[in-house]
Amino acid sequence: MAVPALFICLVLGVIFGVKTFLQKDKMAAGGGITEPENKVRVILPEENSDTFDSLTSGEDYETLPTEPLQMPTAEQPDQEFSPEYLPVDGGIAALELLEKFLAMGTLEERMPHLESKLPEAELAASILNAPLPEVLKITVDIRETNPIEQLIDYYYHVDFDDGSGGENPQTMLVRTRGGGAPVVVVDPFLDLFGGQFAKYAQSPTAESGVFQVIISAGAFCYDDVPGADKKFTLKILSREDTKEIAKAYFGRNSKIGEMLEDESSGLAYGQAKACTVFMRWNTDEDPQKPFLEALDLKALNWNP
């Protein structure tokens, strides 16, 4: 009786050993591992990849599914969000207004669609009270927002026919305030295209002036002005990458010089920027060599 019992135990032991070996071999081959159903596999691009469209290489990362992004709706009145992050469509209306404004022929037509700090009598004596030259091209430049004052500024590059087969490149600004209709900000247009600044820069005068122009600051002064080694140059432009209308100068230790040394000021060397500039004709340093001096940047924009 002992021999058959011993034989049966031996057979059972062999069967158990073979089964255990087969299970381990299956686990090693991955056949016994399954990924959790509540996970998805995401392949991230390599660290130096230029775009997330390149998903041909990288490491595998497992992550739980995330909830879809919820956009603010009328049914969520308690959810606060900034208008700055909502889809922007005001640029369409701004461009349409600019095209119509440039095609108008009188100040009376333009008056309801403009913003200016100048008296109406002065506007009536300007180029705004007559047809403008033919517009060859309008190009969208930049869009700037001011949430505090609820302003959205749309800058445009406008190429006018110069009357001799060439182009007269200008910069124009259309502004929306709050939920109001867009308006054309005309004071910079009069300073630049209207020739107000060019007239001031022609010859010395005792009066100072404030002009809304495009500026570009240079870190050197190569011109024959008093104390050139202690001054920087400010080019006054109608648009980036155009020949300057005139040059103004400022001291290295002036307010503008300090702004250029401050990386948080919003002003940088060689950067073309729409600014409101306070300047005068300096006849004090050397009466024989008067020069246009930029005293201050009253604003890094064209806000009246």
Side-chain angles (χ1 to χ4, degrees):
M1 294 294 293
V3 172
L6 180 61
F7 178 79
I8 293 172
C9 290
L10 181 61
V11 170
L12 291 176
V14 171
I15 294 173
F16 178 78
V18 170
K19 182 178 180 181
T20 301
F21 174 80
L22 291 176
Q23 286 180 337
K24 289 183 178 180
D25 184 67
K26 185 178 181 181
M27 292 290 289
I33 300 176
T34 59
E35 292 190 53
E37 295 182 358
N38 65 337
K39 289 190 177 183
V40 295
R41 183 169 294 278
V42 179
I43 302 177
L44 298 181
E46 293 180 341
E47 183 178 356
N48 295 327
S49 176
D50 293 331
T51 171
F52 281 97
D53 292 332
S54 301
L55 297 178
T56 56
S57 61
E59 297 180 0
D60 292 349
Y61 293 83
E62 291 182 349
T63 177
L64 292 175
T66 57
E67 293 294 328
L69 180 64
Q70 300 294 325
M71 294 298 293
T73 64
E75 290 73 30
Q76 298 172 311
D78 296 333
Q79 184 172 359
E80 295 183 359
F81 56 89
S82 170
E84 186 176 355
Y85 298 102
L86 294 180
V88 178
D89 58 5
I92 299 175
L95 179 57
E96 289 178 349
L97 171 65
L98 180 60
E99 291 174 338
K100 294 177 181 178
F101 186 90
L102 294 173
M104 294 174 182
T106 66
L107 178 64
E108 183 179 3
E109 293 177 276
R110 295 183 174 116
M111 201 67 189
H113 310 290
L114 64 80
E115 176 179 295
S116 175
K117 64 179 183 295
L118 300 174
E120 186 172 345
E122 191 170 340
L123 294 175
S126 73
I127 58 173
L128 294 176
N129 200 19
L132 296 170
E134 179 186 357
V135 176
L136 303 177
K137 184 172 62 175
I138 299 178
T139 308
V140 177
D141 184 17
I142 60 172
R143 169 183 174 269
E144 294 182 346
T145 61
N146 185 333
I148 297 177
E149 298 187 36
Q150 295 186 319
L151 299 179
I152 303 179
D153 285 348
Y154 302 91
Y155 289 85
Y156 296 92
H157 289 168
V158 181
D159 293 335
F160 292 94
D161 186 345
D162 67 358
S164 60
E167 299 177 352
N168 184 346
Q170 297 291 325
T171 304
M172 296 194 69
L173 170 61
V174 180
R175 169 174 294 155
T176 60
R177 190 184 299 272
V183 292
V184 178
V185 181
V186 299
D187 292 356
F189 183 60
L190 295 177
D191 283 343
L192 293 170
F193 185 75
Q196 300 282 24
F197 170 73
K199 181 179 178 181
Y200 180 80
Q202 277 181 352
S203 58
T205 175
E207 297 181 359
S208 58
V210 177
F211 300 94
Q212 293 180 312
V213 293
I214 304 293
I215 62 98
S216 178
F220 302 96
C221 174
Y222 299 109
D223 300 319
D224 185 19
V225 297
D229 59 326
K230 297 179 181 179
K231 289 182 172 59
F232 292 156
T233 304
L234 196 71
K235 293 182 179 180
I236 310 299
L237 315 165
S238 64
R239 198 162 85 195
E240 184 178 11
D241 296 330
T242 59
K243 180 176 175 53
E244 71 271 7
I245 302 170
K247 295 178 183 178
Y249 306 91
F250 58 95
R252 295 174 181 265
N253 297 322
S254 66
K255 291 182 179 180
I256 302 176
E258 292 174 357
M259 290 180 66
L260 287 168
E261 296 302 318
D262 182 1
E263 295 182 356
S264 65
S265 70
L267 184 68
Y269 291 108
Q271 175 190 31
K273 189 169 182 60
C275 293
T276 304
V277 188
F278 176 48
M279 60 183 67
R280 67 158 186 160
W281 274 96
N282 187 320
T283 58
D284 302 330
E285 291 187 41
D286 187 344
Q288 302 301 318
K289 294 181 179 180
F291 64 93
L292 201 57
E293 182 179 17
L295 299 173
D296 192 14
L297 298 182
K298 298 180 71 67
L300 298 180
N301 53 50
W302 284 349
N303 197 0

